[in-house]
Amino acid sequence: LYPTFAVWENVPGAFSSNGGEDFRAVLEELARVEQPDASIPRPSKGGRWNKAGAIAGNGWSLAWRQLDAQYWGVPQRRKRIALVADFGGQRAAEILFERTGVSRNHDSCVKA
């Protein structure tokens, strides 16, 4: 039995590592779990990966997004890439891109 989903997390430098080739290789290897002949091309516009995106194939999908830890309950700014692979359908983007935002505490930390 194969897994239905995979989650990969890394630093934003993965987008530009080795001229963007390393991130492309990660996407391609994940796609090949379900479709052995899958080929993921490099991005066309300036050769740079977007901070969010999705790719779908025949029975699989991938979605990635750059997130900042400060919005997830951590008292620091730390950007990370989150990538979800769905090996059984087209749900990766649905999982990673929430339709409603995460509520944030907008109260001032210091009284006026």
Side-chain angles (χ1 to χ4, degrees):
L1 296 175
Y2 292 99
T4 303
F5 296 99
V7 177
W8 181 81
E9 177 266 336
N10 212 314
V11 298
F15 286 137
S16 60
S17 175
N18 194 20
E21 179 61 20
D22 293 340
F23 187 67
R24 188 205 64 78
V26 167
L27 294 174
E28 189 167 271
E29 289 304 315
L30 285 169
R32 287 181 175 179
V33 168
E34 185 63 30
Q35 184 181 340
D37 64 342
S39 177
I40 305 295
R42 293 183 69 138
S44 59
K45 62 174 196 173
R48 301 185 77 168
W49 291 99
N50 290 327
K51 293 182 181 181
I55 300 172
N58 188 14
W60 57 270
S61 61
L62 304 169
W64 66 91
R65 179 178 174 188
Q66 182 175 293
L67 302 169
D68 193 327
Q70 70 177 326
Y71 301 119
W72 298 90
V74 179
Q76 59 190 353
R77 293 181 180 187
R78 181 173 288 172
K79 293 180 181 176
R80 306 297 283 181
I81 298 171
L83 184 146
V84 172
D86 178 5
F87 302 121
Q90 307 294 314
R91 299 167 291 182
E94 182 181 342
I95 292 167
L96 193 57
F97 299 111
E98 300 175 15
R99 295 180 193 256
T100 59
V102 176
S103 62
R104 297 184 179 120
N105 183 0
H106 295 285
D107 294 338
S108 176
C109 62
V110 177
K111 291 186 179 184

